[in-house]
Amino acid sequence: MPAEPTEKPTIHVYKRLPATVEAALSERYRTTFGDDETLYTASEILARAEGCDALVVTLLEKLTADVIAWLPKTVRMVATCSVGTDHIDLAAAKSRGLVVTNTPGAVVEATADIAFLLILAATRRASEGEAMVRTDTWPGWRPTQLLGMGLQGRRLGLVGFGGIGQAVARRALAFGMEVHWHGPRPKSGPDLPKATYHARLEDLLAVSDVLSLHAPSGPETRNLVNAETLAQLPPGAVVVNTARGDLVDDDALITALKGGRLMAAGLDVYRGEPALDPRYRSLPNVALLPHLGTATLETRTGMGMLCVENLDAFFEGREPPNRVA
Ligand code: DGY
């Protein structure tokens, strides 16, 4: 009698992914897909997981300790199509024996590009300039109009020096900036971009004409940019956030932007996004983007294919390469 074909594992993918990723998933697994219009509630997340062996989630699906506790017992693995894992209670996942993977390598260059785009937009007052052109209020070129901050010789302070922080450092060096960074411990190695390490955050802040955040969200980094830390930056500094919104105390940042303590800010991520503190919208000296960090076809495809690699490893009994729980 011919051998029964092995049943493919069943996977639910909560948001639509680039076509090549969906094709690769559907070739290997029995797949069902969610939609992009719905922000799933906890009970919808659980209902969609029914009968699944694994889930592919994004940062939009909040896997709290409660959701993880109620997941169907068949679900043994979750691949998140993101480097950030703050939407998943990793401790709860570990104690349930749920394997979780993320997509670190794939996000680096695209996110560094957006960080640098915001550094340039904020220092060169691009949003103000664009508004002038769009609203037909540009009086024409003037010698002292919209003067910004030149980057050459300025000091860039990076909070976090992982893949993205290092990629931003490389761009900054090419622009003639001096790079400084802070993180839990120093790093060494021949491939690291030239940068000065500061063990204490306050020492980094003191030398940061431009401060750019590249640390994960967590209890140690929540509200890292607050009234006290902003006061330690050089007057007229610029703050850029492409990491997570909760690293910034919005009240403190808005006060510093309004009062002139900061020259400008550039934000790609927001606490409670897509809602954001509405005061940002009317501030001329902040460049605002809608969480575009990884938004290139190549990057989102790379992230999705990392999910596929991790799923394949898991179901073939190998250690998933990007396991975080
Ligand atoms: C991530 O991968 O965590 C990013 O925020 C998605 O753009």
Side-chain angles (χ1 to χ4, degrees):
M1 223 166 87
E4 280 291 307
T6 325
E7 184 91 335
K8 289 175 176 179
T10 300
I11 289 174
H12 184 66
V13 185
Y14 283 82
K15 288 283 168 279
R16 301 312 302 256
L17 300 176
T20 41
V21 178
E22 291 194 350
L25 284 167
S26 298
E27 200 180 286
R28 297 158 160 83
Y29 304 102
R30 285 162 46 141
T31 44
T32 51
F33 295 92
D35 65 71
D36 284 0
E37 278 67 56
T38 318
L39 203 54
Y40 296 117
T41 60
S43 50
E44 287 166 333
I45 292 174
L46 291 172
R48 286 175 171 271
E50 216 43 66
C52 289
D53 300 297
L55 307 174
V56 176
V57 301
T58 68
L59 50 94
L60 301 173
E61 286 75 47
K62 309 291 175 214
L63 299 190
T64 61
D66 280 348
V67 170
I68 288 171
W70 286 101
L71 277 177
K73 291 283 168 282
T74 51
V75 175
R76 291 178 293 136
M77 185 203 171
V78 171
T80 182
C81 196
S82 63
V83 66
T85 53
D86 47 305
H87 54 296
I88 304 176
D89 189 323
L90 292 181
K94 272 182 202 150
S95 67
R96 185 192 183 276
L98 186 68
V99 170
V100 180
T101 61
N102 71 344
T103 60
V107 305
V108 167
E109 299 300 334
T111 309
D113 284 345
I114 287 290
F116 221 81
L117 184 155
L118 284 172
I119 291 172
L120 285 166
T123 54
R124 297 301 301 275
R125 305 176 63 176
S127 301
E128 283 172 89
E130 193 186 16
M132 249 188 198
V133 177
R134 283 186 189 277
T135 57
D136 200 10
T137 53
W138 181 37
W141 189 89
R142 299 285 186 274
T144 58
Q145 183 184 71
L146 288 181
L147 299 185
M149 175 203 286
L151 293 183
Q152 295 67 35
R154 296 281 181 176
R155 300 160 299 175
L156 172 68
L158 298 167
V159 178
F161 204 54
I164 301 171
Q166 291 173 35
V168 175
R170 287 192 188 93
R171 285 157 179 72
L173 292 169
F175 271 74
M177 297 184 84
E178 196 182 278
V179 181
H180 298 255
W181 71 280
H182 163 77
R185 63 200 70 81
K187 295 185 177 183
S188 57
D191 297 332
L192 287 181
K194 184 171 176 287
T196 306
Y197 175 68
H198 299 269
R200 295 170 354 133
L201 176 64
E202 51 265 50
D203 294 336
L204 176 81
L205 296 171
V207 296
S208 296
D209 299 313
V210 177
L211 182 75
S212 190
L213 307 179
H214 302 288
S217 160
E220 318 78 43
T221 55
R222 201 153 294 139
N223 290 327
L224 181 140
V225 171
N226 56 42
E228 197 185 322
T229 49
L230 285 167
Q232 293 166 33
L233 289 168
V238 166
V239 172
V240 166
N241 188 11
T242 52
R244 282 293 183 266
D246 61 5
L247 269 63
V248 172
D249 172 344
D250 293 313
D251 245 349
L253 182 62
I254 290 166
T255 304
L257 287 166
K258 277 187 169 161
R261 181 72 183 71
L262 287 184
M263 176 202 164
L267 305 176
D268 187 43
V269 288
Y270 309 88
R271 191 182 293 262
E273 64 184 52
L276 59 127
D277 190 314
R279 292 173 294 172
Y280 282 126
R281 294 201 180 96
S282 52
L283 276 178
N285 53 345
V286 59
L288 303 171
L289 294 179
H291 204 146
L292 289 184
T294 58
T296 67
L297 178 60
E298 298 86 336
T299 301
R300 291 282 161 80
T301 303
M303 293 164 75
M305 292 312 288
L306 269 189
C307 292
V308 176
E309 272 181 46
N310 281 292
L311 287 160
D312 288 355
F314 177 77
F315 286 111
E316 286 163 14
R318 293 179 283 115
E319 179 69 2
N322 306 112
R323 185 170 177 173
V324 288

